[in-house]
Amino acid sequence: MSGNIKTIKFTAVLSAVFAILTYIITLNVEVAFFAPNWPWISNNFALTVCGGIFASTLVVMLCEVQKYLSNKSSCENYLFYQTVYLYLAMFLIQKITKEFIDAPTEAVSENLLEDNVQIAQCQLNAIQGVDYTTFSSKNELLTVQHNFCSGVVPKIKSFLSVNNYLKRAILTVQIANVEQFGVKKPITTTDPLIFQTLSIINEKSLSLIADISNYLQSIDNACHNRFAWEVQKQKIHEGYTSIFTAGRFEDFLKQGE
């Protein structure tokens, strides 16, 4: 979008300059306040050249304006839906973490959050890479995006290191179990360290999910509610299936019966 704006400004200035020159030459044809006495140029020739350049730059400018409006809408769509994927990844991290906190008999694996953490990292890069630029620096969505990228994004990036902290907690408990019992034991939230780690992840993710939701609502407001974020958010929440019931191995085996 920044390239569109530069082209529009350049062609607008060029078009204005040659529009003024065309007007001056037209007056000169009528009034003849300046009559060039050169064999290789005339008022008619100058009028044709300046008028042609003016018309050409005007057409280019109008085409760039149309392209700018199209790119603006596309950027808004891209920005919104990439953020929805980020919200979904963070939402899954929170729900999965909470389920294991509430299920102390379930074994916690090292890669429990890995997939969703990677998705969230990719979405953050996509959001920050959006070239959303407008003519007005006070554009509502431009301000919202700047505040999100400068304020919330760093907090999310810091949070996404929780996958490493969880792995460290699991490794610490495994070492303690081997030293105490001589064997590896399933790691569950009955262990205080695992419970504390998942509880911190759960609390932080809830706060960040709220920030992302507010950002999505701000995008929706700036775009005249064309995305209906509240409706989409409700569908995401209603469509969640427990990790302990979705894709169970027992259900897979039943398909062969």
Side-chain angles (χ1 to χ4, degrees), residues 12-242:
V13 171
L14 200 62
S15 180
V17 169
F18 280 95
I20 294 171
L21 288 176
T22 301
Y23 177 71
I24 293 173
I25 295 171
T26 302
L27 288 179
N28 190 42
V29 171
E30 299 294 332
V31 181
F33 56 82
F34 175 70
N37 191 23
W38 305 314
W40 47 270
I41 194 170
S42 66
N43 280 327
N44 290 333
F45 175 77
L47 180 63
T48 301
V49 172
C50 291
I53 295 176
F54 163 67
S56 299
T57 53
L58 182 62
V59 169
V60 172
M61 185 187 70
L62 293 176
C63 289
E64 284 296 325
V65 169
Q66 175 60 35
K67 187 177 179 181
Y68 163 78
L69 295 175
S70 177
N71 287 342
K72 182 174 181 292
S73 179
S74 297
C75 279
E76 290 167 353
N77 292 342
Y78 182 83
L79 192 61
F80 178 82
Y81 287 109
Q82 292 301 318
T83 309
V84 169
Y85 295 141
L86 172 63
Y87 179 91
L88 180 59
M90 295 293 294
F91 173 74
L92 291 175
I93 290 174
Q94 188 273 320
K95 294 297 289 186
I96 291 171
T97 303
K98 186 66 168 63
E99 286 200 8
F100 274 91
I101 291 175
D102 296 336
T105 59
E106 297 290 339
V108 179
S109 63
E110 290 185 2
N111 61 350
L112 179 65
L113 307 176
E114 189 169 353
D115 290 343
N116 289 306
V117 165
Q118 290 179 353
I119 292 173
Q121 288 172 336
C122 290
Q123 298 314 124
L124 284 177
N125 293 333
I127 293 168
Q128 288 183 296
V130 174
D131 179 24
Y132 187 80
T133 310
T134 60
F135 285 99
S136 173
S137 59
K138 296 181 180 180
N139 177 274
E140 181 181 356
L141 182 51
L142 189 63
T143 302
V144 167
Q145 185 197 17
H146 173 74
N147 292 339
F148 181 77
C149 290
S150 61
V152 180
V153 168
K155 292 194 294 184
I156 298 176
K157 285 186 175 182
S158 176
F159 167 81
L160 293 178
S161 61
V162 294
N163 192 47
N164 296 327
Y165 291 123
L166 178 60
K167 289 181 179 180
R168 183 174 178 178
I170 292 174
L171 182 61
T172 301
V173 174
Q174 286 176 338
I175 293 173
N177 287 341
V178 171
E179 291 177 349
Q180 185 174 357
F181 304 105
V183 295
K184 287 186 176 181
K185 295 174 60 180
I187 306 300
T188 66
T189 52
T190 55
D191 186 280
L193 183 59
I194 302 300
F195 181 85
Q196 181 183 11
T197 302
L198 291 181
S199 296
I200 293 173
I201 294 174
N202 180 62
E203 291 176 7
K204 287 189 174 182
S205 61
L206 281 172
S207 174
L208 292 173
I209 287 171
D211 290 337
I212 297 171
S213 180
N214 291 335
Y215 174 57
L216 284 165
Q217 187 59 59
S218 297
I219 296 176
D220 201 18
N221 293 340
C223 297
H224 308 292
N225 300 310
R226 77 169 183 255
F227 299 112
W229 164 237
E230 286 299 327
V231 175
Q232 294 199 42
K233 181 169 72 171
Q234 185 176 357
K235 289 181 179 179
I236 290 174
H237 287 229
E238 292 176 350
Y240 176 77
T241 304
S242 171

